[in-house]
């Protein structure tokens, strides 16, 4: 029993910030290309939920998952497990474990390696969902802000039916101060680049050589090579010294979406899996507080998985890169990141949700589970015990609607409701197969929304009050053809 990756999913936020807009505002900095930007109502938890949904869309279903690992350097909570929120939003079984793997971006590699090991014989063949998520920023005008990006990747690792199996791995560790952020800080500090480069490159070579030796392969056997890390100079130096064949190095995503930190190696691996062929060798080398390398070999099951994803409409990395909208203003980006305080709508701030109330409605709030009357077939949202149509009592069947599309029946635009990016767009959605519900709309400009538009549901952080995050589901345009979150992120505030 070897175990390996059976399914994968990625999520790149729809919004993009053109790096040139930074210089246009500050007079310096900026550069070419763009970076992916999580909206004001997204965090590493919601990014992870979206990646996990796409990983579970094909292959082993949510009922097969026995463990969930969430890795992020920027967790929504410190003294609470964020993985349990992802677990609830994905509708995983109560017997499934949910665990956080926090820390630096190296913890993300360890998370995937742990999931792969757990799927093998040594781990008693457990099916594990590994979610790697990161939301990166920096001081205004800094290289960290300019070069970073936001995103998430998820992998379902199983003891059999894998599309890629791990055949070798290697690591090299050393204690040195390259990048750090202490509790309470929001921005990372970086030491002088030449120092990090001198240490990273030998570590990368050691880890890469150890992985090849463990797999019984040579550099010439590699078909796809992925090299990632937040230290740009060290990554470039490592790539130039690998000696791999031309065309082997995976496409660079940093110019279009930025460096995704803890999620970057995972997103790059997903991009390769979407293009690879059976029997090919994939090498992943990550530089973060040392170096980690692992070797995967694709199997004959890969084409079926690629075809199933396409038929299910699961967007590829390339498709998500292509549909990103890049006219977000720098002022709005700073507002979403909390670095620019702007006048809010003139209504009281929201209050934190009550823990007992939230727990009683957990399936509805996190899993978006409705109820259908077994007598007349009427669908209720939120779920209820009594049928509004035939008045039958306790004759209900639970139905998860998070993955069911719908149509906009009507909508309103509220310039007064509390939002980090007003106005708030409220929509009434008619779901396919029955059911109507009023909710917020995200990833859309109010001026571009029409009655009859098709929508899907997405998991978002509605607000945070007194240190408590209020998560729920919002509607977003189907097909990724709309603009970014919040009614009109660059529109005027007013009544």
């Amino acid at each position: 029993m070897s175990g390996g990756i059976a399914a994968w999913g990625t999520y790149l936020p729809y919004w993009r910030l053109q790096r040139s807009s930074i210089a246009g505002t500050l007079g310096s900095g900026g550069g070419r290309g763009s970076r992916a930007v999580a909206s004001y109502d997204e965090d590493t938890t919601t990014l992870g939920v979206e990646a996990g949904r796409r990983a579970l869309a094909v292959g082993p279903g949510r009922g097969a998952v026995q463990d969930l690992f969430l890795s992020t350097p920027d967790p929504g909570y410190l003294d609470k497990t964020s993985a349990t929120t992802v677990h609830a939003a994905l509708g995983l079984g109560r017997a499934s474990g949910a665990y956080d793997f926090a820390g630096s971006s190296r913890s993300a590699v360890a998370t995937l390696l742990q999931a792969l090991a757990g799927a093998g014989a040594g781990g008693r063949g457990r099916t594990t969902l590994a979610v790697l998520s990161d939301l990166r920023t920096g001081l205004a005008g800094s290289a960290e802000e300019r070069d970073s990006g936001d995103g998430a990747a998820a992998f379902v690792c199983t003891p059999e039916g894998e599309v890629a199996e791990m055949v070798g791995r290697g690591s090299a560790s050393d204690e040195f101060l390259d990048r750090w952020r202490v509790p309470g800080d929001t921005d990372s500090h970086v030491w002088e680049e030449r120092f990090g480069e001198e240490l990273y490159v030998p570590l990368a070579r050691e880890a890469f050589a150890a992985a090849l030796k463990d797999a019984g392969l040579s550099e010439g056997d590699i078909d796809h090579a992925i090299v990632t890390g937040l230290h740009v100079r060290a990554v470039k130096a490592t790539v130039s010294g690998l000696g791999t064949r031309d065309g082997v190095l995976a496409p660079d995503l940093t110019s279009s979406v930025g460096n995704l930190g803890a999620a970057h190696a995972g997103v790059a691996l997903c991009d390769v899996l979407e293009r690879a062929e059976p029997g090919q060798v994939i090498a992943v080398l990550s530089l973060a507080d040392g170096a980690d390398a692992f070797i995967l070999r694709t199997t004959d099951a890969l084409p079926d998985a690629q075809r199933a994803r396409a038929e299910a409409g699961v967007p590829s990395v390339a498709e998500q890169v292509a549909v990103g909208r890049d006219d977000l203003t720098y002022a709005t980006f700073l507002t979403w990141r909390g670095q620019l305080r702007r006048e809010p709508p003139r209504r009281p701030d929201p209050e934190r949700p009550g823990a007992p109330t939230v727990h009683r409605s957990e399936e509805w709030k996190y899993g978006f589970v409705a109820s259908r009357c077994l007598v007349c077939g009427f669908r209720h949202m939120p779920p209820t015990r009594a049928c509004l149509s035939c008045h039958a009592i306790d004759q209900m069947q639970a139905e998860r609607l998070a993955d069911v599309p719908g149509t906009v029946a009507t909508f309103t635009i509220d310039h007064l409701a509390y939002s980090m990016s007003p106005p708030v767009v409220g929509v009434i959605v008619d779901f396919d197969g029955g059911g109507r519900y009023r909710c917020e709309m995200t990833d859309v400009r109010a001026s571009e929304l029409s009655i009859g538009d098709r929508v899907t549901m997405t998991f978002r952080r509605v607000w945070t009050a007194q240190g408590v995050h209020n998560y729920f589901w919002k509607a977003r345009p189907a097909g990724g053809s709309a603009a970014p979150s919040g009614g009109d992120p660059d529109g005027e505030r007013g009544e």
Side-chain angles (χ1 to χ4, degrees):
M1 182 185 297
S2 59
I5 297 171
W8 67 93
T10 58
Y11 178 73
L12 296 175
Y14 185 70
W15 198 240
R16 303 287 185 271
L17 175 70
Q18 287 283 353
R19 295 188 176 105
S20 59
S21 67
I22 300 174
T25 300
L26 301 180
S28 62
R32 299 179 180 178
S34 59
R35 58 158 292 169
V37 177
S39 180
Y40 75 96
D41 58 356
E42 295 183 298
D43 61 12
T44 53
T45 299
T46 66
L47 298 179
V49 168
E50 296 304 311
R53 292 174 67 193
R54 292 171 177 180
L56 295 171
V58 295
R62 59 179 56 90
V65 176
Q66 296 169 283
D67 286 312
L68 165 67
F69 300 155
L70 171 64
S71 179
T72 177
D74 186 27
Y77 290 106
L78 292 179
D79 200 10
K80 180 193 179 304
T81 304
S82 297
T84 54
T85 303
V86 179
H87 175 282
L90 294 178
L92 302 183
R94 189 179 179 90
S96 172
Y99 311 98
D100 284 354
F101 283 63
S104 73
S105 58
R106 192 175 197 185
S107 297
V109 177
T111 300
L112 179 55
L113 292 174
Q114 179 66 30
L116 288 167
R124 300 176 62 184
R126 294 182 68 84
T127 297
T128 303
L129 175 62
V131 180
L132 321 177
S133 179
D134 207 349
L135 190 154
R136 307 199 64 83
T137 188
L139 294 176
S142 67
E144 182 87 351
E145 176 192 65
R146 175 196 67 208
D147 298 333
S148 296
D150 310 325
F155 299 90
V156 180
C157 300
T158 61
E160 56 186 12
E162 64 271 18
V163 300
E165 58 180 351
M166 187 170 68
V167 295
R169 59 164 294 191
S171 299
S173 299
D174 192 8
E175 165 55 24
F176 59 97
L177 193 63
D178 165 52
R179 168 183 295 272
W180 70 98
R181 175 168 57 89
V182 298
D185 283 357
T186 57
D187 306 297
S188 297
H189 307 274
V190 181
W191 204 264
E192 201 275 327
E193 285 189 329
R194 286 178 296 178
F195 171 70
E197 181 182 358
E198 292 174 357
L199 295 177
Y200 268 125
V201 174
L203 290 168
R205 291 171 179 167
E206 292 174 28
F208 189 58
L212 288 173
K213 181 178 180 181
D214 190 38
L217 301 172
S218 65
E219 291 185 8
D221 296 320
I222 298 174
D223 298 291
H224 303 276
I226 299 168
V227 183
T228 67
L230 289 169
H231 198 297
V232 179
R233 284 180 52 163
V235 170
K236 289 182 178 179
T238 300
V239 167
S240 64
L242 282 183
T244 53
R245 306 188 313 274
D246 291 340
V248 169
L249 192 66
D252 183 13
L253 300 173
T254 56
S255 63
S256 55
V257 297
N259 192 312
L260 307 176
H264 200 90
V267 172
L269 176 56
C270 291
D271 182 47
V272 169
L273 289 173
E274 289 160 0
R275 298 179 289 101
E277 300 176 358
Q280 291 189 327
V281 175
I282 304 171
V284 181
L285 176 58
S286 174
L287 281 59
D289 298 310
D292 295 280
F294 57 96
I295 311 295
L296 300 168
R297 179 180 283 111
T298 58
T299 71
D300 292 337
L302 181 60
D304 289 339
Q306 293 170 334
R307 185 164 46 252
R309 288 170 54 84
E311 292 174 351
V314 180
S316 66
V317 173
E319 289 170 338
Q320 293 178 74
V321 170
V323 301
R325 186 163 176 173
D326 57 6
D327 56 348
L328 179 70
T329 66
Y330 186 51
T332 298
F333 169 79
L334 292 177
T335 303
W336 288 356
R337 285 297 196 261
Q339 297 196 41
L340 179 61
R341 295 185 64 185
R342 297 166 67 179
E343 179 70 19
R346 300 185 185 116
R347 281 191 179 178
D349 290 345
E351 297 182 358
R352 68 180 183 186
T357 302
V358 169
H359 186 263
R360 284 195 298 268
S361 60
E362 178 181 344
E363 283 194 333
W364 164 247
K365 181 173 176 56
Y366 293 105
F368 207 60
V369 175
S371 61
R372 183 184 289 277
C373 178
L374 295 175
V375 178
C376 69
F378 191 85
R379 182 185 276 169
H380 301 79
M381 305 176 65
T384 181
R385 294 176 56 194
C387 179
L388 298 176
S389 178
C390 71
H391 310 297
I393 305 296
D394 292 334
Q395 298 293 317
M396 298 291 175
Q397 175 179 304
E399 290 189 355
R400 178 181 167 89
L401 297 188
D403 305 315
V404 176
T407 303
V408 174
T410 187
F411 64 93
T412 60
I413 303 171
D414 191 337
H415 292 266
L416 291 176
Y418 176 88
S419 173
M420 282 283 292
S421 188
V424 171
V425 179
V427 293
I428 293 179
V429 178
D430 286 334
F431 287 86
D432 295 357
R436 169 174 284 194
Y437 190 69
R438 185 191 187 281
C439 60
E440 280 191 39
M441 188 84 175
T442 191
D443 289 357
V444 66
R445 289 187 185 274
S447 59
E448 297 176 354
L449 182 62
S450 300
I451 293 174
D453 286 353
R454 296 287 287 169
V455 297
T456 57
M457 302 305 292
T458 181
F459 191 70
R460 298 294 170 103
R461 188 186 65 197
V462 182
W463 66 68
T464 298
Q466 299 177 346
V468 178
H469 303 311
N470 185 29
Y471 294 103
F472 193 58
W473 295 83
K474 296 184 179 182
R476 66 181 305 227
S481 59
S485 308
D488 191 349
D490 299 321
E492 295 183 358
R493 297 168 182 263
E495 299 178 284

